[in-house]
Amino acid sequence: MVSSNKLFEEPGLKQITVWARGVYENKEARDVVVALTEAAAKEGKYVQAWENYVDLPDRIYVPVRAYGKISDQPIESKYVYENETPDIVVLTEETLVKGVDILAGIRPGAVLVVNTKRPPEYLFKFLKKGTENLKSIITVDASSLAKSIITLSGAEGATDASGIGKGLGAPLAAAVVKATGIVEFENLLKIVANKQAAKSAYEKAQVAEVKTLVNAG
Amino acid sequence: MSISPNEVPFAGTVPSPKTENEGMITGSWRTRRPILDADKCTECLICWISCPDSSIKAASSGMEFNLKYCKGCGICNEVCPVGAISLVPELDFED
């Protein structure tokens, strides 16, 4: 019998999971996946972006997720509602490293992008599970580069009147591009509204390899 | 009904819940942790009655926060008349 893990074995598929705080960063989480997938679609890739409603995102501060899928081939697992094996994990808020199992199911070589001022060594202490598959931690102080936009415009499939990548979404998506090269940075810039924040995040994002963090103790 | 009508409490009022709900642990929602300055605290109990999650306990030694359920909403900090409760970023604490 085929294992359910191998049912949708898609070599070209990259899964992006963004964790955020309910209501406050609802838009920012969605913007990261929408900006990345729209940029990938410009490159002729097959994409999907959606939000997890199982997390009940109407509750303020509740950890919520937004998902993206980018693939060279048509996505066969398009009806699977959650990213069970993410390649890229993004946190719009640093405290999510504590008490939330953000690295559940990550694939070997996965990267973690965090919006924080703190050094990656300090954040690494809070990651209790799943670090054996983690390749690097990327830190970027997105909150200093852009202002978070608190709105429910664009939630639940409605039109987003505030613009894609107007707030924290732009710098965080730029940090993902710097770490993984999943899309061309030029294509991302065409999508996001706050181009200046995306550019400075692309320059300032710091990449720390998990191997060196482990060796450092 | 599992109990007879005679045993139903007057007006349907039941004692307030005293047990914790293990199915809804909300401590991971918190981004700021309330910290009490015991010297300033007058034990007026305004934070205790204002806490939406009943996460503040009026102990004999002073006010105590139940961090397993505290969501860090900051209402206690807001209502405290003497400014004894401050909110500190959760990641400053390693526990």
Side-chain angles (χ1 to χ4, degrees):
Chain A
M1 201 176 141
V2 181
S3 138
S4 64
N5 293 332
K6 295 191 174 177
L7 194 58
F8 298 108
E9 212 170 51
E10 297 174 81
L13 181 70
K14 292 286 176 197
Q15 300 175 22
I16 308 163
T17 298
V18 184
W19 288 86
R21 293 288 174 189
V23 181
Y24 272 97
E25 289 157 354
N26 193 53
K27 171 189 165 55
E28 313 300 353
R30 184 179 65 245
D31 274 9
V32 176
V33 286
V34 170
L36 290 170
T37 51
E38 292 263 319
K42 275 189 179 291
E43 298 172 5
K45 290 182 180 158
Y46 294 87
V47 299
Q48 271 188 303
W50 73 103
E51 289 171 80
N52 187 333
Y53 210 76
V54 178
D55 292 333
L56 303 177
D58 297 337
R59 305 175 292 169
I60 288 177
Y61 289 142
V62 68
V64 295
R65 284 165 289 182
Y67 298 119
K69 279 181 187 162
I70 298 177
S71 181
D72 302 330
Q73 289 100 39
I75 298 169
E76 287 179 22
S77 59
K78 58 184 172 186
Y79 298 123
V80 178
Y81 186 59
E82 300 193 353
N83 278 348
E84 285 159 7
T85 54
D87 301 279
I88 301 168
V89 180
V90 184
L91 311 183
T92 64
E93 195 273 322
E94 57 182 9
T95 320
L96 286 160
V97 296
K98 198 172 178 178
V100 184
D101 193 8
I102 49 162
L103 296 179
I106 55 166
R107 288 197 219 179
V111 299
L112 172 67
V113 179
V114 190
N115 169 19
T116 181
K117 278 183 197 158
R118 296 174 200 268
E121 297 81 29
Y122 188 72
L123 297 176
F124 188 68
K125 277 194 243 174
F126 294 99
L127 300 172
K128 308 282 188 217
K129 279 193 286 179
T131 48
E132 60 277 356
N133 281 352
L134 190 65
K135 183 169 140 267
S136 52
I137 299 178
I138 295 90
T139 52
V140 60
D141 190 8
S143 300
S144 73
L145 300 169
K147 203 168 176 292
S148 175
I149 296 186
I150 301 162
T151 174
L152 287 175
S153 172
E156 298 182 38
T159 309
D160 188 347
S162 48
I164 298 168
K166 188 100 176 160
L168 301 181
L172 286 170
V176 171
V177 173
K178 181 173 182 179
T180 62
I182 193 161
V183 292
E184 293 293 326
F185 186 57
E186 292 305 311
N187 290 326
L188 180 73
L189 275 187
K190 286 177 197 160
I191 304 293
V192 295
N194 194 343
K195 295 181 183 8
Q196 193 51 50
K199 279 180 195 160
S200 26
Y202 192 74
E203 285 167 20
K204 287 180 187 170
Q206 289 182 340
V207 182
E209 297 298 321
V210 167
K211 267 184 200 167
T212 58
L213 293 177
V214 172
N215 291 339
Chain B
M1 276 180 93
S2 55
I3 55 172
S4 78
N6 298 337
E7 291 169 33
V8 174
F10 176 70
T13 51
V14 292
S16 63
K18 288 192 176 66
T19 52
E20 298 183 354
N21 182 359
E22 290 290 332
M24 183 54 77
I25 295 169
T26 50
S28 67
W29 299 23
R30 184 173 67 251
T31 61
R32 299 162 305 166
R33 182 183 289 193
I35 296 294
L36 181 75
D37 182 346
D39 295 338
K40 284 188 192 169
C41 180
T42 59
E43 296 189 23
C44 64
L45 299 184
I46 291 180
C47 60
W48 170 80
I49 204 164
S50 305
C51 180
D53 289 310
S54 303
S55 294
I56 301 179
K57 193 179 162 203
S60 54
S61 56
M63 311 311 293
E64 285 175 7
F65 300 104
N66 185 351
L67 296 176
K68 191 173 169 188
Y69 295 95
C70 169
K71 296 187 183 104
C73 67
I75 289 176
C76 52
N77 161 269
E78 199 71 30
V79 296
C80 182
V82 292
I85 299 170
S86 55
L87 298 170
V88 183
E90 180 63 28
L91 269 201
D92 288 356
F93 304 93
E94 292 197 14
D95 59 320

